[in-house]
Amino acid sequence: MMRFMLLFSRQGKLRLQKWYTATAERDKKKMVRELMQIVLARKPKMCSFLEWRDLKIVYKRYASLYFCCAIEEQDNELITLEVIHRFVELLDKYFGSVCELDIIFNFEKAYFILDEFLMGGEIQDTSKKSVLKAIEQSDLLQEDCKESHTKIFAL
Amino acid sequence: MSYVGEKTLTALPSLLSLDSQPGPAKLSSTSKLGNLIRGITELTSKHEEEKLIQRELESIKEQVSSPNTSMRQMKELMVRAIYCESLGYEASFVYIHAIKLAQQGTALEKRVGYLAVSLFLNESHELLLLLVNTVLKDLQSTNLIEVCMALTVVSQIFPKEMIPAILPLVEEKLNHPKEIIRRKAVLALYKFYLIAPNQVQHIHNKFRKALCDKDPGVMTASLHIYLQMIQENPEGYKDLTGSFVNILKQVVGGKLPIDFNYHSVPAPWLQIHLLRILSFLGKNDLRTSELIYEVLDESLRRAEMNRNITYAILYECVKCIYTIHPKSNLLEKAAKCIGNFVLSPDINLKYLGLKALTYVIQQDPKMALQHQMTIIECLDHPDLIIKRETLELLFRITNAQNVVVIVEKMLEFLQNSPDDYTTIDLVGKVAELAEKYAPDNEWFIETMNTVFSLGGDTMQPDIPNSFLKLLSEGFDSVEEDRKLRLFAVDSYVSLLQGETRKLPQCFLQVISWVLGEYSHLSEDHNRSTVLRLLEKLLDMKQTSSETKCWILMAMTKLCEGTAGVCVAQQVSETYISSMDTVLRQRAQELQHLSQDSELREEVLPRDSGLDPMEIDSSLSFLDEFVSGALAAGAAPYKPPHQRQEELAEAKVLSLEPYGLALPISMSSCSITDRHSPTPLSMSSGLSGDSTDVSHRAGLKLDGVQRVWGRDGYLAKKESVEEAAPVQGLTPVHSPSLQNEGDGSHSQTPTPTPTPEPDREKEQLASSLFFGVSSQSSVCLMGKPDSTFNRRRKAKVQAPGVTEQLSSSVAPVSNAVDNLLCNNLQDSNINSVSAASSKQTCELSPRVPAANGTCNTDCGLPESDRKRSNLSISRDNGLVDADSALSEDQGSRSDLCPSSYLPAELCGLYRSEIAPLCTAHSLELSACHVHQGDDMILIIFISNSSDSQVLQIRLDLKSEQLKVTCVSDSSVENIKSHTVAVYQYSLAVKRPGVDVEVDGTLSFLLPAGTPQTKHFSYKLPLTAFIRPLLISTEEYGTMWLGFSHEVKQNLTLVDDGCEPLTFTLNLLKNRLQLHLVEIIGLEGILACRLLQNQPCLMHCRVHAGALAVWLRSPVPELPDCLVYHCQRVLQEK
């Protein structure tokens, strides 16, 4: 099971965080700080997996954003890389070639997509289409965002 | 996605300007959030940011509390508040409004409200209770989106104790017509299962329904629950194996809708999940594994594409193959797969390959040889993660021959180790290797010096403890001990003469103890030199007061002669007025003892290391004082609970909190505590001179291949007749050829020309992998080293009992065996196996002969196959002779293992013989026998195949028990259809509710492949409990002496007339206690834990329940015993 997922920028700004197990606020901050430091210090050609505390860390950099997941001992690192990749694909599809600014300005949307994709630390839906469909259905209710419909329907 | 970067830059101006881009993404920057974000990016200092956010929060605060704010505005405010929180500024005033928004808003506002709640609050936040009602309402909503949101938030964050309130509604959703709702409901239940498993126990059959759901998504979701449940209890779900295999077959065969494909691979997540489930089901279970083999083969075949995602599946397949019951052709494919990973240019795959290699290397050390060049390269890899993993791998294959090189590599890594976590771990490993395999004293001491200076004060305290213990206990030869100590002293003196400021405190403590104890051995350094060096340490400002205590202790031992006394006086005067009481006491001691040399001789006798210190935890030396005080009219001491009880009785009102109503949950929560050891901190200055180091100073042997047995190097025997193939140097050698090499026992290696380029690396390789495979142990025979053998021995076996056992019991058991089987003539070649094979008999051949099939499966080149056939037939010849022998015994004996019980144990009370595991044709079973005050564990290994199984080695270890081999465990070969019996004596080291022995069985298949198999045997602590026959008076004095106490209320079993007597008798009979006396409403019982650790029990009927106090000198014992009492009474 995934324990948490972090998105942070190359400058060390946390963009998104999702915790799937109960963690105290103070520990969260400490872990985030520590992990960011470790991951940001790593060079591009290095291994995407780390062993950190009792967890395994899987991270990947997309442009200026780092996607970083913590998984448990028995979990599969490679498939976690694919989880990250699928999440990026979803964001990309939803925002239309996503960039960091999309996530900064629309972080709540990014959270909604993540919630639709992962639930309780496990993959909920692996089909790209159905995740976006669920988001789209909720978005339909949003009268004030007309452009978004046209965009979504165009997909 | 590198274009994203450029895009970000080009998008920046347009985003921050007024013209907003169309699309769902681009939020208009005229919005307030947009302004806020833009404002922050424009700021230059942290201080300004702080000011801006504070202003923002002020305005949010004002607006949220205004009654005129609409829900729509509230949603917008909430998003801003989330943003501020994500920057690290607290906005706790909006939490309640987030809940309100989730409650009152329309769907979209609700969604933001729920999101805010899940981001702001954690599972134990009190405001969450206010959410329960909202969730309840939304779960019943007809709007699908609201139901979805409620299920999402429930799986994300929900108070555990409120689960029952919503459970029926979530359960109902399992029948919902929409699959998305069913899927989310299943995942929500999964979450409940994780945080409160007993709450969802009653709906297990509904999980089955979800598993059979027509929608693959719902089925996939249900697998999460199954994975968890099967992991906890594989036995309960074996019947589902077929279904899981079928599902996997369909998935692999591409039967799922195309929607589930990921990069044209069918449902990889589902595949991986199923593989994990199957590996749990097939673990240690031949029959289930047989169902799985085919689909694994299929998965491996299908996954052969060069995609990232297929590697994920392959990796999981490999893990599964190595977890379930082994099958040779799959193992071969898996090994090839690991090879591909290791050799891959992709660094992630290489890393996983190394990891897999680390995992399988113990089962198959030859894998290391195959990949030695890659391993060497990885050892110098710039990425520390890779390097670290390589060291881990090397750690697993360390033996006496390569220890020097490997430890050097590890220390090198440690020099620039990045973090404490790694340091602690690696330092521990180096220390372990050094203690086990050190080739000589100098190397040992120097390595430990590096360990201490690198590990610093972060390392685990048992490292210095066991090091000191090792020094003080010594080995067999006095001369060798003296040399080791002397070398340590010399090395420390020269260390102290250099720069000392950088040395960690714990190293200084070790140094001062060693110098205090053993400087007299050295003739080069007189005591005053050492004293002066120590004094210098005292003056350093880095030295902690704890270390100072150690130093003062050392000085006390050393101050002799006028110069010494002078230094001592000076020092003690400085510290005699210290604020630290311990330090002050040490200074006092130093002052007095330096003046009175006779007294010092008595208090601190030289070379007293071997005498065990007696610690009187009962403080019996105070008895006189106590009785004096009592005589003078003082009130007798009452422990707190008794006082409280009396108080409660006097006032009628009970001041104690109610005991938990459910004894089960009570015991289950105390179990976790029970396992925590009570470490004896020896690093305190008080115990600086004691040699009774921590309880748990024993070696951790997990993960280390056992190379040394009681009879010396274990691989030595088979290596005698073998030539010395330096296969370590020939990476081009094909693996199958190597396999054959040791299968046929006679092959001389053809010298393969080594590829030119890297001589240096090869040299490293040959030193690293030396002695890894059993056949390359040439040097061993030439160099029967003795020091480290002894060192290991001294470490592993506790002095005293064990040593005596190992020296005297072996011949005895041989004699017993001879007695048993004196009618059988031994015609065996192998003298070691004689003892056991004599008592063997034929087993019904249930398992088909394995060796023939697995040899032909391998697909060897023609020439090799011929040779292997040859070797088989030769083996068969052997087998024939043996089976003829055993057949004629077979007619005389039974088939079941119980008939192999050694004669002296027959008729004694013993447990059922329980099967432990099966490995190829070997079946292990075990039972424990109560032999007076000894607990004997008997392990039967029966070989049901038609061929002999060679080089059997059985290693037992346990954290809680001391395991001593009683029988001659060097039985190495088990002939076909025979049973070998191993005896171990068990004693409790650290009590637990149940105690467990972990074992490793390793053996050589007829084909020559070494195999290992792990198993464990659990027995309840009650097996070690015996009645303690004492009188009431004795009980009284003992009671006062014990310090560890546990109190518990137990249920009183009522048989109608005398509930107390009945209950106590029940406990007495079931747990083997001694009922000392029953007086009125109270009763006392006594028992002892083998060998001789008493536990006393005082019971009293109080308010319809049985209040019980237990006391014992052993910290964990009362707790464990109370658990068993509960169990007994519950069963009743």
Side-chain angles (χ1 to χ4, degrees):
Chain A
M1 192 184 97
M2 192 184 290
R3 296 283 192 86
F4 58 84
M5 186 191 235
L6 305 176
L7 262 71
F8 49 87
S9 70
R10 216 172 37 184
Q11 288 78 30
K13 292 247 191 261
L14 188 61
R15 297 300 180 203
L16 229 60
Q17 53 174 333
K18 192 84 190 173
W19 299 77
Y20 293 106
T21 45
T23 319
E25 209 53 46
R26 220 185 38 188
D27 294 339
K28 279 187 193 173
K29 282 206 174 112
K30 194 163 166 252
M31 287 163 97
V32 168
R33 206 173 339 110
E34 224 173 279
L35 256 185
M36 273 208 260
Q37 212 176 12
I38 296 174
V39 170
L40 288 174
R42 292 181 63 78
K43 298 200 180 69
K45 284 277 155 63
M46 285 184 169
C47 182
S48 300
F49 314 132
L50 295 173
E51 268 167 56
W52 181 72
R53 301 193 180 186
D54 58 333
L55 296 174
K56 296 198 288 197
I57 304 295
V58 177
Y59 73 90
K60 187 152 189 193
R61 183 177 155 182
Y62 287 90
S64 57
L65 261 191
Y66 283 87
F67 290 70
C68 178
C69 296
I71 52 173
E72 288 167 353
E73 175 54 36
Q74 67 275 21
D75 288 327
N76 189 317
E77 291 96 337
L78 287 170
I79 200 84
T80 311
L81 268 185
E82 300 307 314
V83 168
I84 294 177
H85 189 74
R86 175 42 63 100
F87 182 45
V88 174
E89 280 179 351
L90 285 170
L91 290 172
D92 201 44
K93 204 104 198 203
Y94 181 78
F95 288 110
S97 62
V98 67
C99 67
E100 194 185 337
L101 283 175
D102 292 327
I103 295 171
I104 300 175
F105 280 93
N106 298 281
F107 61 88
E108 84 277 17
K109 299 262 172 51
Y111 274 121
F112 294 147
I113 294 175
L114 184 59
D115 278 345
E116 209 52 54
F117 175 48
L118 293 173
M119 190 163 158
E122 299 284 0
I123 289 272
Q124 187 188 158
D125 202 332
T126 57
S127 147
K128 200 155 42 173
K129 231 200 287 180
S130 61
V131 173
L132 289 172
K133 211 171 103 195
I135 297 286
E136 165 200 331
Q137 273 171 348
S138 330
D139 272 355
L140 272 176
L141 299 163
Q142 199 163 7
E143 306 96 326
D144 60 342
C145 195
K146 287 211 185 82
E147 295 108 43
S148 75
H149 304 171
T150 48
K151 182 80 180 181
I152 288 286
F153 285 132
L155 290 176
Chain B
M1 293 211 28
S2 54
Y3 64 90
V4 175
E6 288 93 84
K7 201 194 153 237
T8 312
L9 291 175
T10 49
L12 199 62
S14 68
L15 266 166
L16 298 181
S17 73
L18 283 177
D19 113 85
S20 70
Q21 253 177 289
K26 314 301 183 266
L27 186 102
S28 140
S29 53
T30 49
S31 79
K32 285 178 180 152
L33 176 68
N35 277 334
L36 174 65
I37 295 171
R38 194 173 47 168
I40 285 171
T41 37
E42 279 165 1
L43 295 178
T44 45
S45 76
K46 184 84 190 161
H47 179 68
E48 280 177 284
E49 180 188 299
E50 221 163 90
K51 266 199 336 214
L52 182 75
I53 299 279
Q54 287 311 338
R55 253 202 331 268
E56 183 75 19
L57 286 176
E58 284 300 315
S59 104
I60 294 177
K61 192 173 188 173
E62 198 177 298
Q63 288 178 64
V64 288
S65 41
S66 141
N68 299 327
T69 312
S70 71
M71 277 297 144
R72 191 141 161 211
Q73 286 165 312
M74 193 68 108
K75 178 189 132 209
E76 199 274 320
L77 287 167
M78 204 52 68
V79 173
R80 262 152 70 201
I82 297 177
Y83 185 76
C84 293
E85 274 243 336
S86 77
L87 290 180
Y89 300 90
E90 201 194 293
S92 51
F93 60 89
V94 292
Y95 295 175
I96 185 75
H97 296 282
I99 290 180
K100 227 164 81 187
L101 189 62
Q103 219 158 49
Q104 298 167 358
T106 60
L108 265 176
E109 293 141 17
K110 217 179 229 320
R111 192 162 68 159
V112 173
Y114 274 135
L115 176 69
V117 168
S118 70
L119 288 174
F120 288 151
L121 307 182
N122 64 19
E123 253 155 58
S124 52
H125 202 287
E126 49 189 1
L127 280 180
L128 269 188
L129 290 180
L130 297 176
L131 197 70
V132 176
N133 227 345
T134 318
V135 169
L136 270 177
K137 207 180 83 203
D138 285 340
L139 279 177
Q140 296 172 69
S141 161
T142 48
N143 186 339
L144 286 187
I145 290 172
E146 283 180 356
V147 179
C148 280
M149 280 192 265
L151 286 172
T152 305
V153 83
V154 152
S155 76
Q156 170 71 217
I157 178 173
F158 201 73
K160 209 191 296 188
E161 57 278 15
M162 295 310 286
I163 289 176
I166 55 160
L167 192 58
L169 283 173
V170 177
E171 248 181 278
E172 202 178 88
K173 295 288 174 281
L174 290 176
N175 299 322
H176 202 276
K178 276 280 185 211
E179 64 271 0
I180 185 169
I181 303 281
R182 292 204 300 273
R183 196 179 64 211
K184 284 184 197 260
V186 171
L187 281 169
L189 288 175
Y190 166 63
K191 178 76 179 186
F192 293 168
Y193 183 81
L194 287 182
I195 56 177
N198 40 5
Q199 308 238 20
V200 288
Q201 230 149 32
H202 61 287
I203 41 177
H204 278 194
N205 56 340
K206 296 214 171 149
F207 295 153
R208 287 213 178 205
K209 215 177 136 229
L211 183 66
C212 304
D213 200 287
K214 60 182 187 295
D215 180 65
V218 182
M219 185 269 291
T220 312
S222 75
L223 290 183
H224 296 301
I225 303 181
Y226 275 101
L227 179 64
Q228 204 65 33
M229 294 195 298
I230 290 172
Q231 190 174 1
E232 281 154 24
N233 170 28
E235 293 308 317
Y237 300 91
K238 298 270 180 187
D239 57 321
L240 285 175
T241 315
S243 319
F244 290 129
V245 168
N246 265 333
I247 298 174
L248 185 55
K249 263 189 201 149
Q250 289 178 27
V251 175
V252 173
K255 299 270 159 49
L256 282 188
I258 198 108
D259 264 4
F260 287 87
N261 280 12
Y262 175 85
H263 296 186
S264 66
V265 174
W269 279 275
L270 180 55
Q271 286 195 42
I272 284 177
H273 245 89
L274 286 165
L275 286 169
R276 280 177 67 185
I277 288 179
L278 290 178
S279 63
F280 283 126
L281 286 170
K283 195 174 181 182
N284 295 335
D285 183 343
L286 175 65
R287 276 184 48 213
T288 313
S289 298
E290 273 168 350
L291 298 173
I292 306 173
Y293 292 145
E294 192 194 330
V295 74
L296 273 177
D297 205 28
E298 176 82 7
S299 295
L300 278 179
R301 204 164 51 76
R302 293 260 186 176
E304 273 171 17
M305 269 194 298
N306 275 347
R307 280 250 173 68
N308 225 341
I309 188 75
T310 54
Y311 281 120
I313 297 174
L314 278 179
Y315 188 62
E316 207 60 49
C317 280
V318 169
K319 273 195 346 202
C320 183
I321 290 171
Y322 275 98
T323 315
I324 63 173
H325 195 277
K327 183 172 163 73
S328 57
N329 70 330
L330 281 179
L331 283 178
E332 216 166 280
K333 284 180 186 171
K336 208 174 120 215
C337 222
I338 293 178
N340 288 342
F341 273 78
V342 172
L343 295 174
S344 164
D346 183 328
I347 187 156
N348 291 339
L349 298 184
K350 195 181 269 300
Y351 169 79
L352 290 180
L354 284 174
K355 254 187 111 124
L357 212 51
T358 314
Y359 180 67
V360 302
I361 212 132
Q362 275 159 297
Q363 296 179 34
D364 188 4
K366 273 184 230 80
M367 292 280 289
L369 292 177
Q370 279 171 37
H371 298 294
Q372 48 181 322
M373 273 311 163
T374 323
I375 295 175
I376 301 286
E377 272 160 30
C378 290
L379 206 50
D380 288 325
H381 203 279
D383 191 345
L384 289 182
I385 300 292
I386 302 274
K387 233 172 159 171
R388 173 82 185 74
E389 196 54 47
T390 316
L391 288 177
E392 185 71 43
L393 196 155
L394 289 177
F395 170 73
R396 306 273 174 118
I397 56 165
T398 309
N399 56 34
Q401 276 83 56
N402 56 18
V403 63
V404 177
V405 196
I406 289 178
V407 164
E408 187 192 313
K409 286 281 163 195
M410 288 169 110
L411 290 178
E412 206 175 277
F413 182 85
L414 269 173
Q415 305 280 9
N416 33 27
S417 160
D419 62 311
D420 285 356
Y421 231 73
T422 324
T423 310
I424 294 172
D425 181 51
L426 265 185
V427 156
K429 282 183 172 145
V430 172
E432 186 183 331
L433 292 180
E435 274 169 20
K436 234 192 296 182
Y437 301 118
D440 56 56
N441 290 337
E442 287 79 9
W443 184 88
F444 179 62
I445 296 290
E446 268 159 21
T447 306
M448 287 312 282
N449 284 355
T450 327
V451 164
F452 288 133
S453 28
L454 286 176
D457 294 317
T458 49
M459 74 178 154
Q460 272 145 0
D462 33 323
I463 298 174
N465 286 348
S466 54
F467 173 71
L468 292 184
K469 191 175 173 187
L470 200 96
L471 273 186
S472 64
E473 275 171 3
F475 317 116
D476 301 345
S477 113
V478 180
E479 180 54 25
E480 202 61 46
D481 293 346
R482 206 188 65 83
K483 273 191 199 156
L484 178 65
R485 291 167 187 162
L486 184 61
F487 188 81
V489 169
D490 287 344
S491 131
Y492 294 155
V493 167
S494 57
L495 253 177
L496 289 190
Q497 279 162 346
E499 176 60 64
T500 51
R501 257 176 301 176
K502 293 251 168 68
L503 296 179
Q505 299 301 316
C506 91
F507 192 19
L508 289 180
Q509 289 161 12
V510 168
I511 291 178
S512 26
W513 187 85
V514 171
L515 288 182
E517 205 74 8
Y518 301 119
S519 326
H520 63 91
L521 295 174
S522 162
E523 277 146 28
D524 306 344
H525 315 290
N526 60 20
R527 261 155 238 168
S528 53
T529 333
V530 177
L531 269 181
R532 232 162 278 133
L533 284 171
L534 288 174
E535 196 191 354
K536 211 172 81 191
L537 285 185
L538 273 180
D539 293 338
M540 269 186 344
K541 64 172 183 293
Q542 292 93 337
T543 316
S544 72
S545 60
E546 193 189 331
T547 311
K548 283 182 182 161
C549 289
W550 286 72
I551 298 174
L552 288 179
M553 266 319 287
M555 291 177 114
T556 319
K557 291 175 202 160
L558 289 173
C559 56
E560 231 171 50
T562 40
V565 172
C566 181
V567 174
Q569 290 302 330
Q570 220 178 325
V571 168
S572 57
E573 251 159 54
T574 323
Y575 290 99
I576 214 149
S577 52
S578 161
M579 295 293 278
D580 188 319
T581 38
V582 183
L583 204 52
R584 205 157 65 213
Q585 188 187 343
R586 294 281 165 238
Q588 288 274 9
E589 283 168 13
L590 176 60
Q591 190 178 38
H592 289 289
L593 293 179
S594 65
Q595 279 161 351
D596 189 343
S597 61
E598 266 173 43
L599 182 62
R600 202 192 56 211
E601 284 299 311
E602 201 180 317
V603 177
L604 298 165
R606 197 158 281 166
D607 284 331
S608 61
L610 290 174
D611 305 334
M613 287 286 274
E614 244 180 68
I615 294 172
D616 187 357
S617 65
S618 66
L619 308 177
S620 60
F621 52 88
L622 288 174
D623 284 352
E624 208 172 314
F625 175 77
V626 172
S627 56
L630 285 176
Y637 173 75
K638 281 178 192 157
H641 66 83
Q642 210 175 336
R643 271 177 272 167
Q644 219 167 20
E645 180 121 321
E646 279 168 15
L647 213 66
E649 268 169 18
K651 286 188 184 162
V652 182
L653 271 178
S654 168
L655 293 176
E656 269 182 323
Y658 290 107
L660 284 166
L662 294 168
I664 304 174
S665 61
M666 180 169 60
S667 57
S668 69
C669 50
S670 52
I671 291 173
T672 47
D673 298 347
R674 191 169 290 129
H675 289 301
S676 68
T678 47
L680 197 69
S681 164
M682 292 308 291
S683 44
S684 81
L686 278 170
S687 43
D689 54 339
S690 154
T691 53
D692 177 12
V693 204
S694 151
H695 289 327
R696 305 187 301 138
L699 260 185
K700 272 186 245 117
L701 284 174
D702 358 308
V704 185
Q705 198 189 358
R706 197 174 139 156
V707 187
W708 286 92
R710 265 189 330 119
D711 300 314
Y713 191 67
L714 290 174
K716 198 148 62 178
K717 291 205 178 63
E718 74 262 22
S719 64
V720 176
E721 62 227 290
E722 275 162 11
V726 195
Q727 283 173 351
L729 281 170
T730 54
V732 272
H733 227 78
S734 85
S736 58
L737 209 61
Q738 284 189 11
N739 278 341
E740 268 324 297
D742 40 54
S744 59
H745 278 251
S746 55
Q747 188 201 17
T748 33
T750 42
T752 326
T754 44
E756 262 316 298
D758 265 342
R759 287 254 161 230
E760 202 179 304
K761 274 188 183 165
E762 273 163 22
Q763 224 153 18
L764 181 58
S766 64
S767 51
L768 276 177
F769 297 97
F770 202 59
V772 168
S773 78
S774 53
Q775 68 266 51
S776 54
S777 45
V778 220
C779 133
L780 235 202
M781 297 151 49
K783 179 191 157 201
D785 201 323
S786 52
T787 33
F788 53 88
N789 180 12
R790 269 184 286 110
R791 181 167 292 133
R792 163 83 191 274
K793 244 181 172 171
K795 278 295 301 165
V796 175
Q797 304 172 343
V801 193
T802 337
E803 245 144 60
Q804 176 205 335
L805 269 176
S806 56
S807 57
S808 65
V809 174
V812 171
S813 69
N814 265 340
V816 169
D817 286 343
N818 287 336
L819 260 178
L820 257 180
C821 324
N822 52 4
N823 51 344
L824 298 168
Q825 279 316 302
D826 170 33
S827 61
N828 215 325
I829 320 117
N830 235 321
S831 63
V832 240
S833 64
S836 86
S837 59
K838 268 182 280 177
Q839 18 169 326
T840 51
C841 79
E842 182 168 351
L843 279 172
S844 56
R846 264 168 299 173
V847 181
N851 64 344
T853 42
C854 72
N855 263 317
T856 39
D857 269 356
C858 302
L860 300 166
E862 199 48 47
S863 60
D864 287 343
R865 189 171 297 179
K866 222 176 265 166
R867 191 161 48 225
S868 84
N869 283 340
L870 257 177
S871 78
I872 291 172
S873 63
R874 209 180 47 190
D875 275 356
N876 282 343
L878 259 177
V879 168
D880 286 345
D882 288 343
S883 60
L885 179 78
S886 49
E887 239 164 62
D888 99 327
Q889 302 160 20
S891 54
R892 266 175 277 156
S893 47
D894 287 327
L895 294 174
C896 64
S898 64
S899 56
Y900 292 95
L901 266 178
E904 78 273 21
L905 300 179
C906 287
L908 294 173
Y909 174 77
R910 69 169 166 84
S911 67
E912 293 282 304
I913 296 178
L916 291 177
C917 66
T918 53
H920 290 267
S921 57
L922 296 182
E923 278 179 51
L924 262 74
S925 48
C927 68
H928 54 270
V929 185
H930 295 228
Q931 187 190 32
D933 270 3
D934 288 321
M935 175 57 62
I936 308 288
L937 173 68
I938 301 193
I939 296 183
F940 304 93
I941 305 182
S942 56
N943 176 7
S944 54
S945 77
D946 289 329
S947 56
Q948 178 164 248
V949 180
L950 299 169
Q951 291 177 26
I952 297 210
R953 221 155 68 203
L954 202 56
D955 292 322
L956 296 189
K957 56 180 186 265
S958 167
E959 291 199 348
Q960 298 162 308
L961 294 172
K962 195 167 77 187
V963 186
T964 323
C965 180
V966 179
S967 62
D968 191 1
S969 75
S970 50
V971 173
E972 281 202 329
N973 305 335
I974 301 185
K975 282 178 278 170
S976 67
H977 305 298
T978 57
V979 177
V981 182
Y982 295 79
Q983 277 187 48
Y984 296 88
S985 142
L986 304 179
V988 179
K989 269 196 299 199
R990 196 154 55 86
V993 174
D994 293 309
V995 285
E996 204 168 2
V997 184
D998 294 316
T1000 316
L1001 168 75
S1002 51
F1003 58 96
L1004 210 58
L1005 279 183
T1009 34
Q1011 296 283 328
T1012 50
K1013 185 85 184 170
H1014 300 283
F1015 59 88
S1016 67
Y1017 185 73
K1018 198 191 242 177
L1019 59 172
L1021 187 73
T1022 43
F1024 294 91
I1025 299 286
R1026 300 283 181 278
L1028 176 64
L1029 302 172
I1030 49 169
S1031 67
T1032 312
E1033 288 74 38
E1034 284 166 322
Y1035 182 97
T1037 45
M1038 281 172 88
W1039 179 264
L1040 289 173
F1042 298 158
S1043 45
H1044 298 280
E1045 185 178 272
V1046 163
K1047 195 212 157 176
Q1048 185 75 62
N1049 281 341
L1050 300 179
T1051 41
L1052 202 56
V1053 183
D1054 202 346
D1055 70 328
C1057 48
E1058 278 282 351
L1060 179 67
T1061 323
F1062 184 75
T1063 311
L1064 294 189
N1065 273 319
L1066 186 70
L1067 289 175
K1068 174 193 150 193
N1069 296 334
R1070 297 288 287 278
L1071 299 175
Q1072 296 220 51
L1073 312 174
H1074 170 59
L1075 184 50
V1076 184
E1077 202 176 356
I1078 297 182
I1079 317 162
L1081 284 176
E1082 293 181 55
I1084 49 179
L1085 300 108
C1087 67
R1088 65 199 166 93
L1089 179 70
L1090 294 179
Q1091 298 297 329
N1092 231 341
Q1093 292 166 319
C1095 184
L1096 304 178
M1097 194 165 153
H1098 175 196
C1099 312
R1100 178 194 186 126
V1101 180
H1102 179 63
L1106 189 66
V1108 179
W1109 295 271
L1110 287 112
R1111 277 191 178 192
S1112 167
V1114 187
E1116 300 93 342
L1117 189 54
D1119 227 13
C1120 301
L1121 207 60
V1122 113
Y1123 171 83
H1124 284 290
C1125 290
Q1126 273 172 349
R1127 280 259 297 269
V1128 167
L1129 296 178
Q1130 259 167 42
E1131 278 164 22
K1132 197 64 195 172

